[in-house]
Amino acid sequence: MTKSKFRSKKVFVLIIVAAISVALMWAFFDDTRPHNPKVFGPPAKTEWKPIGARSAGQHSYDIIPEPTTWHAIHVDVSNADSVWGVAAPMFELDWVAEPAYFVGSGPLLDNQGNLYFSANFYHGERVDLVAIDAKTGARRWTLPEIGKMSAGGPIILNDPDNPGAQIIYLAGPEQITAVRQDGSILWKKATGIKIANAEDPDTTKFQNFNYHPATDSLVTATKSGALHAFSRKTGEIVAPAGQLPGAPAISGNRTSIPGFIVNRVDPLMDKAFGKTADGLSLFSSAVNYIYGGGGVITNYFSIDPDSSRIYIAATAPDAEDGTEDGRSEIGAIYSLTLQDNGNGGLEFEVLNRNTFQGGTGSTPALSADGSRVYVSDNEGHVIALDHELNEVWRVDVGEPLVGSITVAPDNNEIYAVTAKDVFQLIDRGDHGTLTWTAELNGFDGYANVDVQSNGLTATVTANGVVVMIGGGKEIIGRTVMLHVGMGLLDRQTGRLRYFTEGREDSLAMSVVAADGSIYVGHSPLRRAVGKAFYPDLTQDVIGGVARFKPVRLDLLARDALCAAGARAVNANTLNQVAEAAAVSTDIRQIAFLITQAESAIEQAVSDSDMPQADANPLRDLLAQSSASLATGDLIESATALTSACAMFD
């Protein structure tokens, strides 16, 4: 797989074309259109409902948290980018915390309302982990940098020895650490990993790490394709290093960012974030990383929580591109197992492999039952594989994909993103169909916005799809990003239910919290290009994390209880024996949605968004539904929730 293709999911598909000609950009500066932004009012109820049995796993949630918010880079170990709760139907930018940090992954949230991010690049204080209060943005504590810092951000797991508590794990080339929620160190261990290539020490850089249930271990992967496993309980290494058979990647088209762009953007990024630990400018470092080649793995990997099978997108072995030169120009997806080696230890074993002409630019995303693996390639295809990595179908969306596939547990829905659009597809078993292309019109009426486009991987919630929309100038069909905002799409139609302007561009995820808030990690590479060439049309670039707080909490309560009611009605139609896993998971999700609704009602009364006279009967109905749910009476639970939803008609 080519290096540039591997990372196109991040940003540079936009940047390359956007900066073809400075003269073209300056031609827009005389635009005198009025600034009359579109106003988004309170969104109506969504008509979307789950139909039939959901995809559901058999695993417990003793260690792996329920997918109620972001506990890992793509929500959970299977990287589905899907959460059980609802996002706030209406929201607004609340604050930006820790703006000195360039946040390229995360943030993550624990079950106590704390937010965590790994500070990949920064201006000044150098730390491995920052913990802030998710409601206020106030710093709680930091984990000092020790040796080479982590690359892929933390992962949060439940502590089975202390029910209700969680542990934050962070891995770097030199050390792996477990931290309690109060910032105290549970354990820290030296990894003992030696640099495989002294000329390129970055080959030891962890791209991500994940939890392996069968062995109760934390699995790490390096840029060079080396795999390691560490005990979750102690941090001790539990398996000799494994190695993917892929060869280092090279850039098949030998493309690079033009120097005049780098020369404009580097000083801007240096001012905002300083230089990297290697003394490079952040933008130059990103360009070198993307176009320099040399990596086997440059994205994240997934683990099926039921089978514990590991799925990694990487490069193919050297000779498979037709030339034995120690490099690879095509990609591959691998499935592996971590198992007993017969001598009381563990070892990695490659089970299956599938190669891709043009490579895959996405983290493998798994269905909840582990039966499907979804990837995107760089030629415009969404590809569905079975769990043995046999291709089942592919759909061409007409343009290169730039991010991981989002997998909903309901209605066989999956979501794919390009530099322009967000698509919904349906997995129909032996083929996939494209059902809608999203309406991305949040910046309608903005002066100096000629084009609007997708900004991040989509996030599926119980009441819609959370997206980032970028707005700016159009250069040869691409967007030079000047503005950015967050929106909520309707899952039934792809129409924009709500939108509000944000502060900064992101390479991370659209993170939805348990209270419906939306968080965005600021990593402004695309908007830095816009700022460099349109300095008077957009704000200065900043880092940190932004919170979009819920407003009109009565509507959040409405969407949560209506979603719970629709799910309870559907669950009641299922065969309680044959579809036991689906029904059990439905009950868990309904219980969480009821909790969301109860909290939203309390806050709505406090904010004067809901009169006490309306809140009391809603609370009674939710209490009835919870009591019925606890006894497994889905009929009574559904009846109470349906009545509560009808109160908003």
Side-chain angles (χ1 to χ4, degrees):
M1 179 182 303
T2 68
K3 187 68 156 181
S4 59
K5 288 178 178 178
F6 244 131
R7 300 297 288 181
S8 64
K9 64 178 180 177
K10 291 290 188 185
V11 53
F12 283 91
V13 171
L14 296 174
I15 293 176
I16 295 171
V17 184
I20 295 294
S21 170
V22 179
L24 285 174
M25 294 181 176
W26 283 98
F28 288 95
F29 272 28
D30 291 331
D31 193 340
T32 57
R33 288 173 297 172
H35 184 66
N36 187 27
K38 179 178 179 180
V39 176
F40 286 83
K45 289 181 182 178
T46 175
E47 296 299 318
W48 181 89
K49 293 178 174 59
I51 300 172
R54 69 190 292 152
S55 175
Q58 305 282 346
H59 63 281
S60 73
Y61 295 96
D62 293 342
I63 296 177
I64 298 173
E66 293 180 339
T68 56
T69 188
W70 252 251
H71 300 107
I73 189 66
H74 292 280
V75 175
D76 57 16
V77 298
S78 61
N79 289 305
D81 287 304
S82 176
V83 294
W84 282 355
V86 299
M90 296 181 71
F91 43 88
E92 64 185 19
L93 182 62
D94 187 14
W95 44 253
V96 175
E98 305 289 347
Y101 293 106
F102 182 96
V103 183
S105 62
L108 308 184
L109 294 123
D110 68 12
N111 58 2
Q112 294 180 358
N114 303 311
L115 182 147
Y116 307 87
F117 67 88
S118 183
N120 296 36
F121 299 98
Y122 28 67
H123 196 11
E125 182 185 14
R126 306 179 92 78
V127 297
D128 268 347
L129 189 67
V130 180
I132 64 177
D133 186 291
K135 287 292 178 67
T136 67
R139 180 182 289 196
R140 299 179 58 246
W141 50 263
T142 61
L143 185 66
E145 182 186 43
I146 303 176
K148 292 183 179 180
M149 58 189 296
S150 64
I155 187 171
I156 300 174
L157 299 172
N158 294 333
D159 182 357
D161 297 324
N162 296 283
Q166 294 183 318
I167 301 171
I168 304 95
Y169 299 89
L170 194 70
E174 297 177 355
Q175 182 173 285
I176 185 166
T177 308
V179 189
R180 297 184 181 90
Q181 290 161 291
D182 62 3
S184 59
I185 303 296
L186 181 61
W187 52 253
K188 58 182 177 182
K189 298 287 184 180
T191 63
I193 296 174
K194 298 184 182 299
I195 296 176
N197 181 355
E199 296 180 356
D200 183 11
D202 197 40
T203 55
T204 63
K205 187 176 184 180
F206 288 159
Q207 301 307 317
N208 192 21
F209 71 120
N210 210 334
Y211 176 66
H212 192 260
T215 60
D216 196 20
S217 63
L218 299 164
V219 175
T220 65
T222 71
K223 175 183 171 182
S224 62
L227 305 174
H228 302 83
F230 303 87
S231 167
R232 179 194 62 80
K233 294 181 179 179
T234 67
E236 298 289 346
I237 194 162
V238 294
Q243 179 65 50
L244 290 182
I250 59 174
S251 175
N253 55 18
R254 308 301 195 271
T255 307
S256 63
I257 300 294
F260 73 90
I261 297 178
V262 175
N263 291 340
R264 280 179 176 250
V265 179
D266 267 351
L268 185 152
M269 296 297 283
D270 286 351
K271 181 180 178 181
F273 303 110
K275 295 184 181 295
T276 70
D278 297 323
L280 298 175
S281 293
L282 176 54
F283 191 77
S284 292
S285 179
V287 170
N288 292 338
Y289 179 66
I290 291 165
Y291 295 109
V296 174
I297 302 173
T298 54
N299 52 13
Y300 301 98
F301 66 94
S302 302
I303 297 178
D304 175 18
D306 283 358
S307 68
S308 290
R309 189 167 293 192
I310 305 165
Y311 295 92
I312 306 178
T315 56
D318 177 19
E320 293 196 15
D321 61 8
T323 304
E324 292 193 43
D325 57 1
R327 300 281 177 161
S328 177
E329 294 201 38
I330 63 175
I333 182 170
Y334 299 85
S335 65
L336 304 93
T337 184
L338 177 60
Q339 60 187 12
D340 192 313
N341 62 8
N343 297 314
L346 299 172
E347 65 181 358
F348 292 96
E349 179 184 352
V350 175
L351 299 175
N352 299 290
R353 183 184 71 198
N354 196 325
T355 59
F356 295 86
Q357 293 298 324
T360 175
S362 66
T363 298
L366 311 181
S367 62
D369 62 2
S371 66
R372 277 284 198 266
V373 181
Y374 298 98
V375 293
S376 62
D377 69 11
N378 300 287
E379 298 176 347
H381 298 107
V382 176
I383 303 170
L385 310 163
D386 66 20
H387 72 283
E388 301 292 343
L389 299 185
N390 300 301
E391 183 173 323
V392 181
W393 56 257
R394 64 173 57 199
V395 171
D396 189 347
V397 300
E399 56 183 304
L401 291 124
V402 295
S404 301
I405 304 301
T406 299
V407 186
D410 309 298
N411 304 356
N412 300 309
E413 296 170 5
I414 59 176
Y415 297 84
V417 299
T418 67
K420 292 182 178 179
D421 294 310
V422 178
F423 302 96
Q424 185 195 67
L425 298 93
I426 303 297
D427 185 340
R428 302 193 184 279
D430 61 350
H431 70 286
T433 57
L434 178 62
T435 46
W436 53 248
T437 303
E439 174 187 78
L440 303 177
N441 62 351
F443 286 110
D444 281 4
Y446 270 66
N448 299 313
V449 170
D450 302 321
V451 64
Q452 302 174 62
S453 58
N454 171 62
L456 279 179
T457 299
T459 293
V460 171
T461 71
N463 66 332
V465 182
V466 177
V467 295
M468 172 179 278
I469 300 174
K473 297 298 184 183
E474 184 173 10
I475 306 295
I476 317 179
R478 298 294 180 179
T479 303
V480 179
M481 188 181 289
L482 302 177
H483 303 279
V484 66
M486 302 305 298
L488 180 66
L489 302 174
D490 191 291
R491 285 174 69 170
Q492 185 77 12
T493 65
R495 293 176 180 169
L496 196 59
R497 297 184 69 201
Y498 194 74
F499 175 84
T500 191
E501 186 172 5
R503 180 61 180 85
E504 191 52 271
D505 177 25
S506 178
L507 304 180
M509 301 295 155
S510 305
V511 174
V512 178
D515 68 351
S517 299
I518 298 170
Y519 295 89
V520 175
H522 287 175
S523 32
L525 289 185
R526 289 170 295 187
R527 209 176 63 77
V529 176
K531 179 65 178 178
F533 288 97
Y534 291 93
D536 297 327
L537 298 185
T538 188
Q539 300 181 77
D540 291 340
V541 297
I542 62 169
V545 174
R547 181 197 185 211
F548 294 80
K549 71 175 182 180
V551 295
R552 286 293 305 272
L553 276 294
D554 57 326
L555 298 182
L556 196 159
R558 178 200 69 185
D559 277 17
L561 60 86
C562 288
R567 187 162 297 280
V569 168
N570 180 69
N572 189 52
T573 68
L574 304 180
N575 186 307
Q576 306 294 298
V577 176
E579 306 292 353
V583 173
S584 174
T585 308
D586 274 337
I587 290 173
R588 282 180 173 270
Q589 185 173 357
I590 292 165
F592 176 71
L593 287 164
I594 289 174
T595 299
Q596 262 198 321
E598 290 170 339
S599 297
I601 289 170
E602 181 179 351
Q603 188 63 46
V605 172
S606 177
D607 294 346
S608 299
D609 288 333
M610 180 183 291
Q612 191 70 55
D614 291 342
N616 289 337
L618 284 172
R619 290 192 183 102
D620 290 343
L621 288 168
L622 289 175
Q624 293 172 29
S625 178
S626 293
S628 298
L629 199 65
T631 63
D633 190 342
L634 282 169
I635 295 177
E636 289 300 320
S637 181
T639 299
L641 289 168
T642 302
S643 297
C645 181
M647 289 182 62
F648 290 90
D649 291 337

